[in-house]
């Protein structure tokens, strides 16, 4: 796990670096907003600790630009005491949490763990492509905000397709993963269930998400044509 610390106070950076390394995190640092933004866009960090008052580009702008580029790395912002607006604005811009300076290292670690835990749950339980959402915890599927009722077999097909979205899946891969390797297909069952699934997921007025790849199988992806 590598943490990016974007902070211009060298003393604080050194304290954070030492403490994080003690907790077995790898640490990368940036001392101004521009450098921080570049690093955050280029590398895949587990979490970003982001100061608000930074040279070249402030933390709010860094946060806004990262989210605008769909970089969803968890962000904890560091803000000065009493600047309530900063906290609210930071969260509005997509930060996950904030800490008020000066803060204790233990508090930082507690917030980091909470943010990482929360992120893990969200990542594993809600899958999305275009306006199709599969909530795995609730076994709920919606397209454009409308609830879609699926049979268990259809649900497992969709779940498999969305987990591998944009990848072509062969018929056998799809059956193995959705229904199990022991499943013996009879009467073109897969085609039948895909047809049912399509009717529900891709209504006539919506852009189709399930695509047939002739001679291969199927894929779930956003079509741009
Ligand atoms: Ca600062």
């Amino acid at each position: 796990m590598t943490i990016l610390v974007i902070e211009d106070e060298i003393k604080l950076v050194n304290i954070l670096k030492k403490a994080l390394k003690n907790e077995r995190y790898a640490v990368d640092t940036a001392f101004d907003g521009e450098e921080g933004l570049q690093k955050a866009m280029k590398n895949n960090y587990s979490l970003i600790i982001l100061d608000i008052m930074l040279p070249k580009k402030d933390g709010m702008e860094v946060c806004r630009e990262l989210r605008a580029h769909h970089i969803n790395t968890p962000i904890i912002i560091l803000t000065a005491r009493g600047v309530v607006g900063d906290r609210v604005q930071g969260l509005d811009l997509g930060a996950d949490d904030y800490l008020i300076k000066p803060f204790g290292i233990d508090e930082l670690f507690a917030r980091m763990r909470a943010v990482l835990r929360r992120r893990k749950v969200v990542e594993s339980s809600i899958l999305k492509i275009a306006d199709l959402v599969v909530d795995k915890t609730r076994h709920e599927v919606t397209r454009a905000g409308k609830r879609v009722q699926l049979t268990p077999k259809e649900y497992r097909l969709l779940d498999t397709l969305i987990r591998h979205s944009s990848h072509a899946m062969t018929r056998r891969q799809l059956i193995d993963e959705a229904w199990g390797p022991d499943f013996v297909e009879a009467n073109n069952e897969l085609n039948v269930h895909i047809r049912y699934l399509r009717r529900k997921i891709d209504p006539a007025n919506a852009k189709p998400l399930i695509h047939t790849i002739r001679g291969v199988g199927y894929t779930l992806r956003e079509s741009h044509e």
Side-chain angles (χ1 to χ4, degrees), residues 181-210:
D182 297 325
F183 189 87
V184 181
E185 193 197 9
N187 309 319
N188 268 325
E189 224 175 328
L190 182 63
N191 302 38
V192 174
H193 285 283
I194 287 279
R195 197 159 66 232
Y196 289 148
L197 188 58
R198 266 194 170 130
R199 259 184 229 156
K200 296 176 179 180
I201 294 299
D202 292 332
N205 57 346
K207 270 194 177 172
L209 294 173
I210 300 172

Side-chain angles (χ1 to χ4, degrees), residues 7-9 51 53-54 101:
E7 165 65 77
D8 59 322
E9 284 170 55
D51 186 32
M53 297 281 283
L54 287 168
K101 287 177 169 182

Side-chain angles (χ1 to χ4, degrees), residues 22 24 40 45 70-71 76 82 91 96 108 115 118 123 130 144 160-161 168-169 175 193 213 215:
N22 275 342
R24 295 175 193 285
Y45 297 104
H70 303 288
I71 305 231
I76 296 180
L91 296 175
D96 293 79
L108 172 65
V115 164
R118 210 153 64 214
E123 268 175 9
T160 307
L161 283 167
M169 293 203 82
I175 291 170
H193 285 283
I213 304 174

Side-chain angles (χ1 to χ4, degrees), residues 45-203:
Y45 297 104
S46 304
L47 188 135
I48 298 169
I49 298 171
L50 174 64
D51 186 32
I52 297 290
M53 297 281 283
L54 287 168
K56 292 190 183 168
K57 195 172 277 227
D58 73 32
M60 295 296 181
E61 185 55 23
V62 173
C63 189
R64 197 192 60 73
E65 285 187 39
L66 284 176
R67 296 311 189 227
H69 285 90
H70 303 288
I71 305 231
N72 294 318
T73 312
I75 297 174
I76 296 180
I77 54 175
L78 306 179
T79 170
R81 182 172 296 280
V83 194
V84 181
D86 273 6
R87 273 135 59 185
V88 176
Q89 201 193 345
L91 296 175
D92 281 349
L93 289 175
D96 293 79
D97 204 350
Y98 62 85
L99 266 173
I100 296 166
K101 287 177 169 182
F103 52 85
I105 284 293
D106 287 342
E107 193 185 356
L108 172 65
F109 287 148
R111 300 290 182 91
M112 283 174 59
R113 282 192 296 270
V115 164
L116 290 169
R117 203 163 46 230
R118 210 153 64 214
R119 191 51 76 98
K120 218 169 166 184
V121 171
V122 171
E123 268 175 9
S124 56
S125 65
I126 293 176
L127 299 172
K128 241 183 109 173
I129 182 159
D131 54 359
L132 173 72
V133 179
V134 176
D135 183 335
K136 289 165 67 99
T137 328
R138 298 176 172 180
H139 272 240
E140 251 181 30
V141 178
T142 57
R143 175 97 206 244
K146 270 192 214 134
R147 182 81 184 270
V148 181
Q149 298 285 356
L150 299 180
T151 66
K153 257 189 184 161
E154 292 162 357
Y155 178 86
R156 286 203 296 276
L157 272 182
L158 179 63
D159 179 53
T160 307
L161 283 167
I162 200 168
R163 276 188 288 107
H164 298 275
S165 61
S166 300
H167 293 267
M169 293 203 82
T170 67
R171 300 172 48 85
R172 193 63 238 177
Q173 279 176 320
L174 197 47
I175 291 170
D176 281 357
E177 218 176 302
W179 299 338
D182 297 325
F183 189 87
V184 181
E185 193 197 9
N187 309 319
N188 268 325
E189 224 175 328
L190 182 63
N191 302 38
V192 174
H193 285 283
I194 287 279
R195 197 159 66 232
Y196 289 148
L197 188 58
R198 266 194 170 130
R199 259 184 229 156
K200 296 176 179 180
I201 294 299
D202 292 332

